[in-house]
Amino acid sequence: MIPPWQRLLTRSITTPEQLGRHFGHDFSVLAPVIEQFPMRINPYYLGLIKAPGDPLWRQAVPDPRELDDRVCLVDPLDEENRSPVENLVHTYPDRALFLVTNQCAMYCRFCTRKRKVGTPRMLVNRGIMQEAFAYLRKNKQIRDVLVSGGDPLLLSDETLVWLLDNLRAIPSVQIIRIGSRVPCTLPMRVTTRLAAILKRYHPLYLNTHFNHPDEITPEAAKACARLAGAGIPLGNQTVLLRGVNDNAATITELMHRLLMIRVKPYYLFQGDMTRGANHFRTRVETGLEIMRTLIGHTSGLAVPTFAVDAPGGGGKIPLSPNYLTSLGKTVSLTNYLGAPCSYHNDLD
Ligand SMILES: *Cc1c(COP(=O)(O)O)cnc(C)c1O
Ligand code: SF4
């Protein structure tokens, strides 16, 4: 029996012709783009697009500019060189990024791994995963494994159980983290059965990926309620994207609505320098200004960490507006309203 969410996926738009039939427009110009970077817009996400060019359209529908990019890097985070075994990126000492599938519920146009997601350029199978388990078993300093892809929740329940059993059998792995866009792009994948499965592997955290308030639907809320109900702490990583969410009002509303569905904003990312995604990038100043409108003006719960993942594999570097005027025996500060404040830094 094919689960309903898988049947829904088979009805995704993957060709310019299907896109043309749906929107009543000729999209043949997109054929070479899709050949290089696959398209998959499932019926659920397609239904959330209100009009061509809107913020959800821009995330899902290919753009000819993807092939014009002469600035950005194929592998911006140098992940391939940082993988001691295939599909396991080991950049930080105590944690590792484990890519467990090349499939996603939608192929986001801005994806950092667009060089390989949804293509034969990314190969995952149980044999390859077993090499990763062996590496994790040997490298006991890795206490946090971030399971990603692709989207791990596109694996079948059976494969997920096999994967999580194997990870939990490694005593040095304390924390399992799942990175999944499914609560946003295919929330019906979060079945009661899935929540019951994940619950067996605590401490398990899940970070999801919402970029726009229009993605917070009753279906997404239900998916997150199921996960939170299974005791899974939920976080969110948003990417700042030009024409999608690069203004304070949109980000503030998104953060508030995430909290309403029990998701804690974790990171707000500066767009990676990904080949084919240059047209989505914003200036760092934009993110800093957005952070200024959040900090102090709304609850700390709604404030993510703004970070840039340094090109070349330098890792995530937090960026904050500056509230520090001078540092010495007295620390001079500026508060969120711009008022000067001071703190006596001399302990004698
Ligand atoms: C993002 C990332 C992590 C996790 O980083 P946190 O700051 O702990 O969320 C781990 N490894 C790699 C390679 C990453 O890109
Ligand atoms: S769901 Fe994540 S991994 Fe998949 S295409 Fe979107 S950003 Fe990339």
Side-chain angles (χ1 to χ4, degrees):
M1 237 276 284
I2 305 173
W5 63 269
Q6 276 182 3
R7 234 178 302 125
L8 199 63
L9 262 189
T10 63
R11 295 200 287 112
S12 296
I13 284 184
T14 59
T15 68
E17 295 72 35
Q18 292 168 330
L19 198 61
R21 261 192 307 261
H22 186 82
F23 287 104
H25 181 82
D26 181 11
F27 287 101
S28 49
V29 61
L30 296 180
V33 185
I34 294 168
E35 205 171 298
Q36 181 72 18
F37 304 117
M39 166 172 67
R40 176 184 272 172
I41 313 172
N42 71 60
Y44 167 76
Y45 201 86
L46 183 68
L48 302 184
I49 294 174
K50 291 177 185 154
D54 80 10
L56 276 58
W57 164 286
R58 286 171 193 253
Q59 293 183 65
V61 177
D63 187 304
R65 287 177 289 180
E66 291 175 41
L67 296 182
D68 293 342
D69 184 355
R70 303 274 176 279
V71 177
C72 294
L73 313 164
V74 172
D75 178 10
L77 308 181
D78 199 31
E79 292 179 333
E80 305 300 339
N81 289 322
R82 284 159 199 279
S83 303
V85 301
E86 211 172 330
N87 298 325
L88 191 84
V89 188
H90 193 190
T91 290
Y92 303 101
D94 78 332
R95 54 210 190 279
L97 172 64
F98 185 14
L99 311 180
V100 299
T101 173
N102 72 348
Q103 296 291 300
C104 299
M106 163 168 119
Y107 295 119
C108 310
R109 306 323 299 174
F110 53 84
C111 180
T112 299
R113 278 178 215 117
K114 67 186 293 166
R115 67 182 180 280
K116 63 178 183 179
V117 292
T119 81
R121 295 187 285 274
M122 183 173 185
L123 179 69
V124 192
N125 58 42
R126 288 195 183 196
I128 293 173
M129 286 200 245
Q130 258 149 353
E131 288 178 41
F133 300 144
Y135 183 87
L136 294 170
R137 221 173 287 122
K138 213 163 56 203
N139 291 272
K140 297 183 175 52
Q141 77 278 22
I142 299 174
R143 34 161 297 285
D144 180 339
V145 176
L146 172 43
V147 178
S148 182
D151 196 314
L153 296 188
L154 279 219
L155 295 174
S156 68
D157 290 352
E158 292 66 39
T159 304
L160 264 178
V161 166
W162 176 83
L163 165 68
L164 294 170
D165 276 343
N166 273 285
L167 282 179
R168 265 291 161 250
I170 304 169
S172 45
V173 174
Q174 299 171 350
I175 302 294
I176 298 175
R177 264 201 271 181
I178 291 180
S180 170
R181 222 192 155 184
V182 146
C184 170
T185 52
L186 191 68
M188 43 293 291
R189 165 61 181 114
V190 184
T191 58
T192 47
R193 182 158 182 247
L194 177 69
I197 289 171
L198 296 179
K199 198 180 171 166
R200 310 207 298 255
Y201 300 95
H202 281 311
L204 182 142
Y205 289 69
L206 190 145
N207 276 344
T208 187
H209 178 174
F210 287 86
N211 288 330
H212 193 276
D214 286 355
E215 294 171 339
I216 313 241
T217 63
E219 291 89 344
K222 188 170 161 187
C224 291
R226 274 186 182 154
L227 294 166
I232 301 165
L234 301 175
N236 183 75
Q237 310 192 161
T238 292
V239 186
L240 265 183
L241 299 165
R242 193 155 103 210
V244 172
N245 60 11
D246 57 337
N247 62 79
T250 303
I251 293 291
T252 304
E253 188 189 348
L254 176 62
M255 298 303 125
H256 288 165
R257 294 190 63 176
L258 283 167
L259 290 176
M260 295 292 289
I261 63 168
R262 301 168 70 185
V263 177
K264 168 76 183 80
Y266 178 50
Y267 277 129
L268 175 66
F269 284 121
Q270 176 67 15
D272 286 335
M273 289 194 58
T274 308
R275 173 87 47 95
N278 195 36
H279 58 288
F280 282 112
R281 293 198 302 138
T282 56
R283 294 174 65 90
V284 167
E285 290 89 327
T286 305
L288 290 173
E289 281 159 22
I290 291 171
M291 292 305 291
R292 237 184 222 293
T293 67
L294 287 173
I295 294 168
H297 297 277
T298 189
S299 71
L301 270 181
V303 181
T305 299
F306 179 44
V308 57
D309 217 333
K316 296 175 182 73
I317 301 172
L319 299 168
S320 172
N322 187 29
Y323 298 98
L324 187 61
T325 319
S326 76
L327 197 53
K329 283 196 170 164
T330 298
V331 178
S332 302
L333 305 154
T334 312
N335 79 0
Y336 72 105
L337 295 171
C341 304
S342 67
Y343 178 85
H344 295 287
N345 204 25
D346 203 342
L347 300 185
D348 302 321

